[in-house]
Amino acid sequence: MKDPYEVLGVKKTATDKDIKTAFKQLARKHHPDLHPDDKQAEAIFKDVSGAYDILKDKEKRRRFDAGEIDATGAERPQQQYYRDYAGAGAGPSGTHAGQDGFASNEDLEEFLARAFGGGGGRGRAQGTRKARGSDVSYVLPVTFMDAANGTSRTVTLPDGKTLKVTIPEGAEDRQTLRLKGQGMPGFNGGPTGDAYVELHVEPHRFFERKDDNIHLEVPVTLQEAVLGAQIEVPTISGPVSVKVPKGSSSGTKLRLRDKGIRNRKTKQRGHQLISLKVVLPTGDEPELADFLASWKPKAEQHPRKEMLS
Amino acid sequence: MMMLMDDLIAAIDDLKREDLEVWIQTALVQPDEDAGAPAFTEIECARVQLICTLHYDMDVEVAVLPVILELIDQLHETRHRLRSLSNAVLAQDEDVRAAILAVLGTK
């Protein structure tokens, strides 16, 4: 056991009053019954009260100073504190505090720590208590294609630590990934917190995602639209060849089966839905203009009829 | 294990019989008197030990003792309820726990 003067933080020359004052202050801070949530309190208070037992007794103090006894003899026998019973289910019901048991387990401590930021008490020194490290949150921007196909990224954090993040295939915007044990370290051997990474999926220039389907507007020339054609179209898994049917209009929809996003649950892929957009030649085309001027369609067209009626 | 008054006074150095008698009269401690002589359960022994520390070592006056003990009892009662509540929450599925944590304004 430690030097009782050191434990109480008083000089060898301290008066009885100094010693009592020191003890009272330490007892107020560390008495287990006054600090029922503080796991260290019992060990500290045992030292403090053992030291006080020697120094408050003139004879014992004299003998300790003379080297006749050492501090060990003054250790109090294992003391039971009121807190060990008052909340723990011993004793008859109806007296004093509530009696039923509570389980003290790590999960509960962890939950309380998360719920109340440090175990339910206020202002306890963090150094004295085993506590789970805090969770940390990051935002990770990912490209549309990385989110669609999945990838693995190494991220360097502000503190220099690197974190390997696996972006699952079909990751959604604002999806949060939990990386267990990648948060802040625990206190006094408590478990490490978790890292939460929120994915922010950047929009794509051409592709647009709706649920598991990819929407894409594909421009076609007048000739391709009128005559039909085999054209190459991008998908999230690379270009594919698509047949444009003869006589397609702007707005004609084509569906590429299973070229969409793979659903996280069903593992089925969505589709890519193509909307054709006919684009006219950009330069001057007098022959086309002449032809259209003299062209009489076989069937007369009234494309705005519905709008105006 | 029950302790009789003499055993308790012998076990706690500072404890004076006349003080203990006052504490019993004022219901600060409530020994079991069914058997004739007052007998102390472990929780009552621990309570007496706590009162001794407060009174003899920390100079808490007799008139103030009930106030402090009442507050300590309330603290234990509240802790007990908090534990029960937390255990109930812990028994829920993760999404329920997360929702509760969210309402508590953490995470």
Side-chain angles (χ1 to χ4, degrees), chain A residues 77-80 85 92, chain B residues 1-13 15 17 20 24 29-49:
Chain A
Q78 188 64 36
Q79 183 180 341
Q80 291 302 314
Y85 302 97
Chain B
M1 196 190 71
M2 305 285 268
M3 262 180 133
L4 293 173
M5 217 158 143
D6 289 341
D7 303 331
L8 189 57
I9 291 164
I12 303 174
D13 272 356
L15 181 57
R17 179 177 297 271
L20 182 56
I24 293 170
V29 279
Q30 298 175 357
D32 195 342
E33 312 223 20
D34 291 350
F40 295 81
T41 57
E42 284 180 48
I43 182 172
E44 293 300 320
C45 293
R47 195 173 164 92
V48 170
Q49 174 73 61

Side-chain angles (χ1 to χ4, degrees), chain A residues 67-95:
Chain A
E68 291 171 24
I69 55 168
D70 62 15
T72 329
E75 272 184 41
R76 281 188 181 178
Q78 188 64 36
Q79 183 180 341
Q80 291 302 314
Y81 293 102
Y82 185 57
R83 71 166 181 181
D84 299 333
Y85 302 97
S93 59
T95 58

Side-chain angles (χ1 to χ4, degrees), chain A residues 99-308:
Chain A
Q99 304 292 338
D100 340 18
F102 57 78
S104 174
N105 59 53
E106 288 297 313
D107 277 355
L108 185 58
E109 291 295 324
E110 183 180 324
F111 180 80
L112 287 171
R114 280 183 70 185
F116 300 105
R122 84 193 150 88
R124 204 182 2 271
Q126 286 193 313
T128 59
R129 186 176 170 278
K130 189 169 167 180
R132 184 175 173 279
S134 331
D135 295 332
V136 288
S137 301
Y138 303 104
V139 169
L140 179 64
V142 287
T143 64
F144 185 92
M145 294 302 266
D146 281 350
N149 294 314
T151 185
S152 164
R153 289 260 301 271
T154 304
V155 183
T156 306
L157 304 178
D159 61 5
K161 205 169 104 178
T162 56
L163 210 60
K164 194 173 172 207
V165 182
T166 302
I167 296 161
E169 183 180 358
E172 287 170 44
D173 191 31
R174 311 289 148 164
Q175 182 179 338
T176 300
L177 308 175
R178 175 171 179 241
L179 305 181
K180 208 169 152 45
Q182 296 294 337
M184 302 297 280
F187 300 105
N188 289 337
T192 310
D194 300 330
Y196 289 88
V197 178
E198 187 177 292
L199 303 178
H200 284 194
V201 179
E202 293 162 356
H204 192 271
R205 268 179 78 193
F206 304 117
F207 294 123
E208 193 186 344
R209 177 175 176 178
K210 279 181 189 153
D211 301 321
D212 296 334
N213 294 332
I214 298 283
H215 292 249
L216 178 69
E217 190 180 68
V218 174
V220 289
T221 66
L222 185 61
Q223 280 140 307
E224 286 166 344
V226 173
L227 305 174
Q230 197 73 29
I231 62 170
E232 203 168 69
V233 170
T235 71
I236 57 168
S237 33
V240 296
S241 183
V242 176
K243 186 175 164 27
V244 176
K246 207 189 268 189
S248 294
S249 280
S250 270
T252 295
K253 301 277 196 287
L254 303 175
R255 192 179 75 153
L256 305 184
R257 267 180 70 92
D258 299 336
K259 293 293 181 192
I261 302 281
R262 189 177 301 283
N263 188 287
R264 276 196 282 158
K265 294 199 180 98
T266 65
K267 302 292 173 205
Q268 291 287 314
R269 280 186 75 163
H271 313 302
Q272 177 163 315
L273 301 169
I274 291 172
S275 177
L276 294 180
K277 184 174 113 182
V278 179
V279 290
L280 296 180
T282 44
D284 223 6
E285 295 288 350
E287 285 159 2
L288 179 61
D290 288 348
F291 164 72
L292 288 174
S294 60
W295 178 53
K296 287 265 181 288
K298 285 215 174 72
E300 216 172 313
Q301 273 187 299
H302 301 284
R304 292 170 299 281
K305 192 177 166 192
E306 270 182 51
M307 288 179 171
L308 297 168

